Amino acid sequence: MLLYNGEFIPEDELRLPLTNRAFQFNDGLFETIIVADGKLRFWDDHVARMLAAAKALKLELPQAILSGELAEKLLQLAVQNNATTYGRLKLKLWRSGSGLYTPETNQADWLATKVPATPAQTTTLHIGICQTITTNYNPFSFFKGPNALLYVMAGIEKNEKGFDDMLLINRQHIVSELISSNIFWSKNDVLFTPAIDTGCVQGIVRQNILRWCHSAGIKTKEVYFDVDSLLKADAVFAGNVTGIRSIATIDNGEVTVDENFVQQVRSNLFA
C-alpha cells in the first residue's frame, strides 16, 4: 500500500502523468524516516527539516502535513505494510502541475512508501575518498532531493572500487560527508563534524548527536578540516537515521576505532 496525497491506494494503482515535475525536473524533496517499535524515529526533526526545505523551494505544503495529521497516517501505512516493528519509510514531496522551468503552481503533491527493513549493522566501515564528484554548498544542499545525482555517482564509484562507503569532499578539499551519512570524529575529548556550508546534508542524526553532546557536556565543533585530520583522530564514525557505525579505514589507511565512545553515542540515541 501507498499513501498518495492522503489516500491509501495499492501500489499497482498509482498513476503519475508524464508532466510530473519530480520526474521532469527533480522539483521536490524527500525524507527517509525509520519506524521502530510502532513509533516514527526523530519525527519532530524530520518535520522541521521538511518545513525548512519547503520554504527554500517555495513549496506550499498540504494541510495534512501542516496540521500534524501526517504522523498518524504514516503509522497506519506502516501497519498496512507489516512494518511497525522496524521499517523504512520514504516521504516524497514535489511541486504540482506541469509547465517548463517556470511552474504553474507552488502547491505540492506527496507520496509515502513503506517497506519492512532490518536494523543497520554495527560492523566497522571501510571507506574510500570520492574522486568522481565534490559537494557544493547551495540553498538546497542541506536537505535531500535536489542534489541526489551527486550521491548516485558516488555510489557507482563505491561499487567500482569495492568500499563500504565514500568520503565526499568539497571543491576546497574540505571533508563534507559520506554518501548517505554525516561523518564525525573525536580528538582530545572534542567531537568534530563538518560545517553545513561544506555542502553536507543537515542530517537528522547529526542534529541529535550534537544535541546529546551538549546535554552530556561534551564539547563540539563544526569545522572545515581536511582528510588528514580524520587520520589523526581518536575515533571516526558515520551516522544517519538507521544507526551509527565506526570507520576503520579511509582509502585503506587505518584510523583509530574507539568503539566504547561510539557505543555510548549509539545507545543514547537508539536505545
Side-chain angles (χ1 to χ4, degrees):
M1 295 296 289
L2 308 175
L3 186 57
Y4 178 49
N5 286 340
E7 300 295 329
F8 293 102
I9 63 171
E11 182 177 346
D12 58 7
E13 292 185 11
L14 178 66
R15 299 290 185 271
L16 298 176
L18 290 177
T19 54
N20 176 277
R21 294 188 63 85
F23 171 69
Q24 294 286 353
F25 300 107
N26 196 22
D27 187 5
L29 65 127
F30 70 86
E31 291 283 328
T32 302
I33 304 154
I34 296 297
V35 176
D37 298 324
K39 296 181 180 179
L40 300 174
R41 183 183 285 173
F42 307 125
W43 175 242
D44 289 343
D45 293 314
H46 281 290
V47 171
R49 187 170 66 179
M50 187 164 48
L51 293 175
K55 182 177 180 180
L57 292 175
K58 299 187 183 297
L59 277 179
E60 299 172 8
L61 295 182
Q63 187 59 34
I65 295 176
L66 298 175
S67 67
E69 299 173 9
L70 181 58
E72 182 179 346
K73 286 210 166 187
L74 292 178
L75 287 174
Q76 292 175 15
L77 181 66
V79 170
Q80 294 190 38
N81 287 284
N82 299 314
T84 55
T85 300
Y86 194 91
R88 182 190 297 266
L89 185 152
K90 191 168 185 180
L91 177 61
K92 312 167 192 66
L93 299 98
W94 63 90
R95 205 178 315 270
S96 302
S98 56
L100 299 176
Y101 283 114
T102 302
E104 299 173 335
T105 177
N106 288 324
Q107 293 182 343
D109 288 326
W110 60 280
L111 173 70
T113 59
K114 188 73 178 66
V115 294
T118 56
Q121 300 178 10
T122 57
T123 52
T124 57
L125 293 167
H126 301 274
I127 70 173
I129 301 174
C130 190
Q131 304 298 319
T132 305
I133 56 93
T134 56
T135 60
N136 180 36
Y137 176 69
N138 60 59
F140 318 116
S141 54
F142 74 91
F143 60 93
K144 296 181 177 183
N147 299 309
L149 189 56
L150 294 178
Y151 308 108
V152 171
M153 298 310 298
I156 292 172
E157 183 178 343
K158 176 196 73 172
N159 287 342
E160 291 175 344
K161 294 183 176 179
F163 288 109
D164 298 322
D165 210 326
M166 299 300 285
L167 178 63
L168 310 184
I169 59 176
N170 67 12
R171 294 175 182 175
Q172 291 73 43
H173 304 287
I174 301 300
V175 171
S176 182
E177 60 186 342
L178 301 177
I179 294 174
S180 58
S181 303
N182 289 112
I183 189 166
F184 308 84
W185 61 99
S186 62
K187 182 70 175 179
N188 298 329
D189 299 321
V190 179
L191 184 73
F192 299 90
T193 195
I196 291 298
D197 57 3
T198 62
C200 67
V201 170
Q202 187 173 333
I204 299 301
V205 163
R206 180 185 186 276
Q207 298 175 54
N208 279 272
I209 288 176
L210 295 176
R211 193 178 295 150
W212 173 77
C213 285
H214 178 74
S215 66
I218 299 172
K219 188 175 181 180
T220 63
K221 290 185 177 181
E222 299 178 53
V223 296
Y224 308 90
F225 282 5
D226 60 17
V227 176
D228 286 343
S229 302
L230 276 65
L231 300 176
K232 300 172 184 175
D234 298 328
V236 187
F237 61 94
N240 63 22
V241 292
T242 66
I244 295 172
R245 296 177 69 178
S246 293
I247 292 171
T249 64
I250 300 175
D251 252 11
N252 298 314
E254 292 187 2
V255 296
T256 304
V257 175
D258 183 355
E259 192 60 32
N260 289 332
F261 176 73
V262 172
Q263 179 56 34
Q264 184 183 8
V265 179
R266 185 186 292 127
S267 61
N268 277 278
L269 266 66
F270 297 96

mmCIF file of all heavy atoms in Angstrom, residues 170-192:
data_model
loop_
_atom_site.group_PDB
_atom_site.id
_atom_site.type_symbol
_atom_site.label_atom_id
_atom_site.label_comp_id
_atom_site.label_asym_id
_atom_site.label_seq_id
_atom_site.Cartn_x
_atom_site.Cartn_y
_atom_site.Cartn_z
ATOM 1 N N ASN A 170 34.602 18.798 -0.562
ATOM 2 C CA ASN A 170 34.131 19.870 -1.428
ATOM 3 C C ASN A 170 35.264 20.366 -2.320
ATOM 4 O O ASN A 170 36.356 19.792 -2.349
ATOM 5 C CB ASN A 170 33.487 20.997 -0.607
ATOM 6 C CG ASN A 170 34.489 21.733 0.275
ATOM 7 O OD1 ASN A 170 35.713 21.575 0.145
ATOM 8 N ND2 ASN A 170 33.981 22.531 1.185
ATOM 9 N N ARG A 171 35.015 21.424 -3.046
ATOM 10 C CA ARG A 171 35.997 21.892 -4.029
ATOM 11 C C ARG A 171 37.252 22.454 -3.375
ATOM 12 O O ARG A 171 38.289 22.607 -4.045
ATOM 13 C CB ARG A 171 35.349 22.949 -4.928
ATOM 14 C CG ARG A 171 34.232 22.389 -5.798
ATOM 15 C CD ARG A 171 33.538 23.474 -6.586
ATOM 16 N NE ARG A 171 32.446 22.928 -7.384
ATOM 17 C CZ ARG A 171 31.607 23.665 -8.092
ATOM 18 N NH1 ARG A 171 31.755 24.999 -8.114
ATOM 19 N NH2 ARG A 171 30.633 23.105 -8.788
ATOM 20 N N GLN A 172 37.161 22.790 -2.106
ATOM 21 C CA GLN A 172 38.322 23.290 -1.373
ATOM 22 C C GLN A 172 39.064 22.160 -0.651
ATOM 23 O O GLN A 172 39.909 22.413 0.197
ATOM 24 C CB GLN A 172 37.877 24.355 -0.357
ATOM 25 C CG GLN A 172 37.384 25.654 -0.978
ATOM 26 C CD GLN A 172 36.005 25.527 -1.627
ATOM 27 O OE1 GLN A 172 35.101 24.912 -1.055
ATOM 28 N NE2 GLN A 172 35.850 26.110 -2.803
ATOM 29 N N HIS A 173 38.712 20.912 -0.975
ATOM 30 C CA HIS A 173 39.329 19.716 -0.396
ATOM 31 C C HIS A 173 39.050 19.600 1.106
ATOM 32 O O HIS A 173 39.856 19.064 1.860
ATOM 33 C CB HIS A 173 40.836 19.693 -0.656
ATOM 34 C CG HIS A 173 41.185 19.784 -2.119
ATOM 35 N ND1 HIS A 173 40.987 18.737 -2.993
ATOM 36 C CD2 HIS A 173 41.677 20.818 -2.847
ATOM 37 C CE1 HIS A 173 41.356 19.120 -4.209
ATOM 38 N NE2 HIS A 173 41.776 20.368 -4.153
ATOM 39 N N ILE A 174 37.885 20.083 1.507
ATOM 40 C CA ILE A 174 37.445 20.011 2.897
ATOM 41 C C ILE A 174 36.465 18.857 3.050
ATOM 42 O O ILE A 174 35.580 18.658 2.208
ATOM 43 C CB ILE A 174 36.776 21.338 3.335
ATOM 44 C CG1 ILE A 174 37.759 22.497 3.189
ATOM 45 C CG2 ILE A 174 36.257 21.240 4.758
ATOM 46 C CD1 ILE A 174 39.021 22.363 4.021
ATOM 47 N N VAL A 175 36.616 18.080 4.111
ATOM 48 C CA VAL A 175 35.727 16.951 4.378
ATOM 49 C C VAL A 175 34.284 17.451 4.521
ATOM 50 O O VAL A 175 34.017 18.437 5.219
ATOM 51 C CB VAL A 175 36.164 16.220 5.658
ATOM 52 C CG1 VAL A 175 35.123 15.180 6.077
ATOM 53 C CG2 VAL A 175 37.520 15.560 5.453
ATOM 54 N N SER A 176 33.345 16.742 3.859
ATOM 55 C CA SER A 176 31.949 17.163 3.882
ATOM 56 C C SER A 176 31.028 16.099 4.498
ATOM 57 O O SER A 176 30.367 16.356 5.501
ATOM 58 C CB SER A 176 31.481 17.504 2.470
ATOM 59 O OG SER A 176 30.148 17.952 2.457
ATOM 60 N N GLU A 177 30.981 14.895 3.917
ATOM 61 C CA GLU A 177 30.036 13.876 4.380
ATOM 62 C C GLU A 177 30.328 12.554 3.687
ATOM 63 O O GLU A 177 31.288 12.437 2.908
ATOM 64 C CB GLU A 177 28.601 14.316 4.075
ATOM 65 C CG GLU A 177 28.331 14.534 2.589
ATOM 66 C CD GLU A 177 26.959 15.099 2.299
ATOM 67 O OE1 GLU A 177 26.073 15.028 3.165
ATOM 68 O OE2 GLU A 177 26.774 15.620 1.175
ATOM 69 N N LEU A 178 29.489 11.558 3.956
ATOM 70 C CA LEU A 178 29.510 10.297 3.226
ATOM 71 C C LEU A 178 28.316 10.261 2.275
ATOM 72 O O LEU A 178 27.575 11.235 2.172
ATOM 73 C CB LEU A 178 29.477 9.118 4.204
ATOM 74 C CG LEU A 178 30.639 9.059 5.209
ATOM 75 C CD1 LEU A 178 30.443 7.900 6.168
ATOM 76 C CD2 LEU A 178 31.970 8.954 4.513
ATOM 77 N N ILE A 179 28.110 9.145 1.589
ATOM 78 C CA ILE A 179 27.043 9.095 0.592
ATOM 79 C C ILE A 179 25.671 9.320 1.217
ATOM 80 O O ILE A 179 24.864 10.095 0.703
ATOM 81 C CB ILE A 179 27.068 7.750 -0.165
ATOM 82 C CG1 ILE A 179 28.351 7.638 -1.001
ATOM 83 C CG2 ILE A 179 25.846 7.621 -1.077
ATOM 84 C CD1 ILE A 179 28.531 6.291 -1.671
ATOM 85 N N SER A 180 25.389 8.633 2.314
ATOM 86 C CA SER A 180 24.069 8.790 2.944
ATOM 87 C C SER A 180 24.180 8.993 4.452
ATOM 88 O O SER A 180 23.225 8.731 5.174
ATOM 89 C CB SER A 180 23.192 7.564 2.635
ATOM 90 O OG SER A 180 23.816 6.377 3.096
ATOM 91 N N SER A 181 25.346 9.449 4.903
ATOM 92 C CA SER A 181 25.554 9.658 6.336
ATOM 93 C C SER A 181 26.385 10.916 6.550
ATOM 94 O O SER A 181 27.173 11.312 5.681
ATOM 95 C CB SER A 181 26.304 8.482 6.976
ATOM 96 O OG SER A 181 25.640 7.264 6.768
ATOM 97 N N ASN A 182 26.224 11.504 7.698
ATOM 98 C CA ASN A 182 27.177 12.521 8.147
ATOM 99 C C ASN A 182 28.378 11.821 8.779
ATOM 100 O O ASN A 182 28.312 10.661 9.172
ATOM 101 C CB ASN A 182 26.531 13.471 9.154
ATOM 102 C CG ASN A 182 25.517 14.400 8.510
ATOM 103 O OD1 ASN A 182 24.322 14.294 8.765
ATOM 104 N ND2 ASN A 182 25.975 15.312 7.668
ATOM 105 N N ILE A 183 29.487 12.538 8.875
ATOM 106 C CA ILE A 183 30.701 11.972 9.444
ATOM 107 C C ILE A 183 31.115 12.772 10.670
ATOM 108 O O ILE A 183 30.918 13.994 10.733
ATOM 109 C CB ILE A 183 31.837 11.920 8.393
ATOM 110 C CG1 ILE A 183 33.021 11.123 8.929
ATOM 111 C CG2 ILE A 183 32.239 13.313 7.929
ATOM 112 C CD1 ILE A 183 34.030 10.748 7.859
ATOM 113 N N PHE A 184 31.673 12.064 11.653
ATOM 114 C CA PHE A 184 32.072 12.643 12.930
ATOM 115 C C PHE A 184 33.426 12.069 13.320
ATOM 116 O O PHE A 184 33.751 10.941 12.955
ATOM 117 C CB PHE A 184 31.053 12.301 14.027
ATOM 118 C CG PHE A 184 29.638 12.627 13.662
ATOM 119 C CD1 PHE A 184 28.874 11.739 12.923
ATOM 120 C CD2 PHE A 184 29.061 13.816 14.068
ATOM 121 C CE1 PHE A 184 27.568 12.029 12.572
ATOM 122 C CE2 PHE A 184 27.751 14.118 13.726
ATOM 123 C CZ PHE A 184 27.004 13.234 12.973
ATOM 124 N N TRP A 185 34.189 12.837 14.082
ATOM 125 C CA TRP A 185 35.423 12.296 14.646
ATOM 126 C C TRP A 185 35.718 13.006 15.956
ATOM 127 O O TRP A 185 35.312 14.153 16.177
ATOM 128 C CB TRP A 185 36.586 12.409 13.666
ATOM 129 C CG TRP A 185 36.964 13.795 13.244
ATOM 130 C CD1 TRP A 185 37.983 14.576 13.723
ATOM 131 C CD2 TRP A 185 36.350 14.574 12.191
ATOM 132 N NE1 TRP A 185 38.045 15.786 13.063
ATOM 133 C CE2 TRP A 185 37.060 15.806 12.117
ATOM 134 C CE3 TRP A 185 35.280 14.341 11.317
ATOM 135 C CZ2 TRP A 185 36.711 16.804 11.189
ATOM 136 C CZ3 TRP A 185 34.951 15.344 10.426
ATOM 137 C CH2 TRP A 185 35.650 16.549 10.359
ATOM 138 N N SER A 186 36.376 12.296 16.847
ATOM 139 C CA SER A 186 36.723 12.860 18.152
ATOM 140 C C SER A 186 38.233 12.975 18.283
ATOM 141 O O SER A 186 38.984 12.160 17.740
ATOM 142 C CB SER A 186 36.163 11.989 19.280
ATOM 143 O OG SER A 186 36.725 10.693 19.239
ATOM 144 N N LYS A 187 38.669 13.999 18.989
ATOM 145 C CA LYS A 187 40.080 14.229 19.244
ATOM 146 C C LYS A 187 40.207 15.034 20.535
ATOM 147 O O LYS A 187 39.608 16.106 20.661
ATOM 148 C CB LYS A 187 40.717 14.995 18.076
ATOM 149 C CG LYS A 187 42.215 15.243 18.229
ATOM 150 C CD LYS A 187 43.019 13.964 18.086
ATOM 151 C CE LYS A 187 44.512 14.229 18.108
ATOM 152 N NZ LYS A 187 45.310 12.982 17.995
ATOM 153 N N ASN A 188 40.926 14.491 21.490
ATOM 154 C CA ASN A 188 41.150 15.182 22.765
ATOM 155 C C ASN A 188 39.833 15.618 23.417
ATOM 156 O O ASN A 188 39.675 16.765 23.846
ATOM 157 C CB ASN A 188 42.069 16.393 22.570
ATOM 158 C CG ASN A 188 43.450 15.998 22.072
ATOM 159 O OD1 ASN A 188 43.943 14.911 22.386
ATOM 160 N ND2 ASN A 188 44.068 16.862 21.286
ATOM 161 N N ASP A 189 38.870 14.684 23.453
ATOM 162 C CA ASP A 189 37.576 14.884 24.118
ATOM 163 C C ASP A 189 36.703 15.948 23.460
ATOM 164 O O ASP A 189 35.789 16.500 24.087
ATOM 165 C CB ASP A 189 37.783 15.234 25.601
ATOM 166 C CG ASP A 189 38.494 14.139 26.364
ATOM 167 O OD1 ASP A 189 38.200 12.958 26.092
ATOM 168 O OD2 ASP A 189 39.339 14.460 27.213
ATOM 169 N N VAL A 190 36.952 16.251 22.199
ATOM 170 C CA VAL A 190 36.105 17.165 21.428
ATOM 171 C C VAL A 190 35.542 16.400 20.238
ATOM 172 O O VAL A 190 36.271 15.655 19.568
ATOM 173 C CB VAL A 190 36.893 18.395 20.933
ATOM 174 C CG1 VAL A 190 35.982 19.311 20.101
ATOM 175 C CG2 VAL A 190 37.494 19.163 22.099
ATOM 176 N N LEU A 191 34.244 16.568 19.980
ATOM 177 C CA LEU A 191 33.612 15.917 18.831
ATOM 178 C C LEU A 191 33.531 16.912 17.675
ATOM 179 O O LEU A 191 33.008 18.020 17.833
ATOM 180 C CB LEU A 191 32.214 15.425 19.179
ATOM 181 C CG LEU A 191 31.535 14.636 18.053
ATOM 182 C CD1 LEU A 191 32.172 13.258 17.921
ATOM 183 C CD2 LEU A 191 30.045 14.509 18.281
ATOM 184 N N PHE A 192 34.034 16.498 16.516
ATOM 185 C CA PHE A 192 34.050 17.349 15.328
ATOM 186 C C PHE A 192 33.103 16.789 14.271
ATOM 187 O O PHE A 192 32.924 15.578 14.150
ATOM 188 C CB PHE A 192 35.462 17.409 14.741
ATOM 189 C CG PHE A 192 36.495 17.979 15.652
ATOM 190 C CD1 PHE A 192 37.206 17.162 16.517
ATOM 191 C CD2 PHE A 192 36.772 19.345 15.650
ATOM 192 C CE1 PHE A 192 38.176 17.683 17.361
ATOM 193 C CE2 PHE A 192 37.730 19.878 16.489
ATOM 194 C CZ PHE A 192 38.441 19.042 17.357
#
